[in-house]
């Protein structure tokens, strides 16, 4: 197995099966720090640099919280407008990263351009963690999600996962790549104008990912062990900031998971994950059903980032 020491976490396309389980095992080991709300000293000599060119609540703060839980230091920016990359100079990724690598030991980057963290990794002497790149990928979120499913179900092989939402979304790309390493069957449901791109489907076929495209949630929810959601009332992920209009529209019933639908059609033990933020595709009254796991998922976001930081910084083998 490849070492994680010094490794960039950019994509799940090339992550191997045993590596997922290694990450899950490290996450299990570090979880007590987060669960007991205490900070250790595993990374006390290390500094995390967060370079966020796009808004974030969960990913940036969970990564920063993870570093604090491990006794490390954190600095960074959450709005590129406050840097030279976001003003008159439009400083390049290459030049920016040449600076950032002097200030910290690992860089967590979110960017509106697909491939920006990959470009950063080319020029950085310290590991780069992709925290979401345009419509590209969101590997740390999906590692969190797979860890949550694995914890809750006890296994990944043999599961049927209903993926519903905008299929251009970076989480959908990462999770479908990840399914190539497990015996998982996916049902993919999204609006025609947000469906999987042909080039991505070609990649999935090459990776032997088992998936079927379906028209609506109702047609396949009864078979799903896991319901994995994203909005279809969606922001434009290719810009640094999308305020949206006041009237954002409503999610068509075909892409919603409601309490009523869960009661009438879902498996009794089906679980729902949503990386959040949500719109009306997942009404708040689902939160109190036995199916909801998105708050566990949110907690695991800290645990997973603890595992990844420890691994790429060599604190744990
Ligand atoms: N799930 C997720 O990426 O959330 P943020 O955009 O708040 O980081």
């Amino acid at each position: 197995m490849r070492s994680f020491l010094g490794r960039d976490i950019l994509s799940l396309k090339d992550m191997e099966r045993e590596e997922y389980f290694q990450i899950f095992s490290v996450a299990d080991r570090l979880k007590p720090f987060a669960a007991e709300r205490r900070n250790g000293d595993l990374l006390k000599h290390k500094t995390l640099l967060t370079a966020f060119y796009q808004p974030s609540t969960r990913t940036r703060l969970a990564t920063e919280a993870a570093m604090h839980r491990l006794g490390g230091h954190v600095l960074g920016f959450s709005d590129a407008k406050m840097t030279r990359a976001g003003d008159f100079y439009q400083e390049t990724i290459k030049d920016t990263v040449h600076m950032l690598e002097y200030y910290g030991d690992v860089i967590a980057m979110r960017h509106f351009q697909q491939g920006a963290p990959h470009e950063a990794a080319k020029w950085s002497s310290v590991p780069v963690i992709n925290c979401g790149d345009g419509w590209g990928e969101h590997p740390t979120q999906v590692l969190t999600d797979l860890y949550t499913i694995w914890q809750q179900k006890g296994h990944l092989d043999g599961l049927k996962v209903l993926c519903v939402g905008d299929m251009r979304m970076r989480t959908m790309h990462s999770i479908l790549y990840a399914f190539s390493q497990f015996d998982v069957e996916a049902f993919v449901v999204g609006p025609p104008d947000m469906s999987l791109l042909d080039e991505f489907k070609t990649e999935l076929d090459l990776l032997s990912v088992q998936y079927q495209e379906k028209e609506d949630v109702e047609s396949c929810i009864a078979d799903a062990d896991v319901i994995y959601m994203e909005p279809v009332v969606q922001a434009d992920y290719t810009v640094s900031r999308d305020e949206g209009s006041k009237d954002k529209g409503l999610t068509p019933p075909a892409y919603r998971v409601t309490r009523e639908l869960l009661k009438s059609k879902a498996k009794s033990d089906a679980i729902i994950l949503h990386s959040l933020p949500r719109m009306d595709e997942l009404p708040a009254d689902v939160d109190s059903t036995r199916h909801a796991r998105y708050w566990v998922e949110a907690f695991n976001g800290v645990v997973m980032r603890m595992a990844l930081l420890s691994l790429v910084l060599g604190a744990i083998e």
Side-chain angles (χ1 to χ4, degrees):
M1 196 167 20
R2 294 173 296 176
S3 168
F4 278 99
L5 172 62
R7 194 158 139 191
D8 303 307
I9 307 291
L10 299 174
S11 167
L12 295 189
K13 196 168 157 182
D14 59 356
M15 186 77 76
E16 292 169 11
R17 182 179 168 91
E18 292 312 317
E19 294 174 335
Y20 286 97
F21 293 118
Q22 188 190 357
I23 295 170
F24 297 168
S25 149
V26 173
D28 272 352
R29 193 168 144 192
L30 296 175
K31 190 175 159 195
F33 287 98
E36 293 159 22
R37 297 181 178 278
R38 59 187 167 86
N39 295 353
D41 60 4
L42 197 63
L43 294 181
K44 69 178 175 188
H45 298 302
K46 299 292 181 186
T47 298
L48 163 71
L49 215 145
T50 47
F52 275 58
Y53 293 75
Q54 222 180 19
S56 166
T57 297
R58 282 144 286 270
T59 311
R60 183 173 66 85
L61 294 175
T63 309
E64 294 189 356
M67 196 63 179
H68 287 298
R69 286 282 179 237
L70 296 168
H73 308 272
V74 177
L75 74 159
F77 58 87
S78 55
D79 183 348
K81 276 204 173 73
M82 305 312 289
T83 75
R84 296 305 198 174
D87 78 350
F88 174 87
Y89 296 94
Q90 297 286 302
E91 193 164 24
T92 62
I93 295 274
K94 178 184 176 185
D95 286 4
T96 304
V97 163
H98 270 324
M99 297 297 102
L100 303 187
E101 66 178 345
Y102 299 136
Y103 309 150
D105 305 297
V106 54
I107 298 170
M109 176 180 280
R110 168 169 288 190
H111 206 289
F112 51 91
Q113 282 169 2
Q114 189 167 338
H118 306 65
E119 170 71 6
K122 269 196 339 208
W123 306 110
S124 172
S125 59
V126 301
V128 174
I129 299 178
N130 179 0
C131 289
D133 61 320
W135 292 121
E137 281 201 64
H138 199 347
T140 68
Q141 176 67 53
V142 168
L143 285 166
T144 300
D145 304 341
L146 293 171
Y147 175 59
T148 306
I149 297 169
W150 177 74
Q151 257 187 352
Q152 297 288 317
K153 291 288 184 187
H155 57 100
L156 290 168
D157 290 325
L159 293 177
K160 290 186 174 25
V161 180
L162 162 56
C163 296
V164 53
D166 184 345
M167 289 302 142
R168 302 167 305 170
M169 193 54 191
R170 48 203 184 196
T171 48
M172 292 300 181
H173 294 156
S174 288
I175 202 162
L176 286 164
Y177 283 142
F179 287 165
S180 69
Q181 299 299 305
F182 303 99
D183 176 23
V184 167
E185 195 181 331
F187 305 115
V188 170
V189 177
D193 59 335
M194 297 180 182
S195 58
L196 297 172
L197 295 177
D198 284 343
E199 66 221 49
F200 182 61
K201 286 203 244 185
T202 305
E203 282 189 284
L204 295 182
D205 290 342
L206 283 170
L207 292 166
S208 304
V209 175
Q210 303 178 74
Y211 73 95
Q212 299 173 47
E213 291 179 281
K214 300 279 189 185
E215 280 199 1
D216 52 31
V217 167
E218 197 166 355
S219 64
C220 50
I221 194 169
D223 290 322
D225 302 298
V226 178
I227 303 164
Y228 187 78
M229 301 189 69
E230 280 287 349
V232 301
V233 176
Q234 186 68 296
D236 180 356
Y237 278 79
T238 64
V239 294
S240 59
R241 189 173 190 89
D242 183 0
E243 301 284 350
S245 61
K246 265 197 181 141
D247 179 16
K248 296 197 170 70
L250 293 174
T251 302
Y255 316 114
R256 295 185 83 215
V257 174
T258 62
R259 215 181 157 101
E260 295 70 33
L261 189 60
L262 288 163
K263 184 164 185 277
S264 62
K265 292 258 164 106
K267 281 188 182 180
S268 174
D269 61 351
I271 60 170
I272 303 171
L273 276 79
H274 193 311
S275 63
L276 305 171
R278 64 177 149 185
M279 300 296 281
D280 64 323
E281 72 283 357
L282 181 61
D285 66 3
V286 175
D287 296 5
S288 55
T289 69
R290 66 176 175 277
H291 304 286
R293 292 296 189 283
Y294 28 96
W295 306 121
V296 180
E297 184 185 0
F299 166 75
N300 281 338
V302 178
V303 178
M304 179 49 62
R305 274 76 178 208
M306 289 170 78
L308 293 172
L309 291 167
S310 302
L311 282 162
V312 302
L313 290 170
I316 296 183
E317 280 291 310

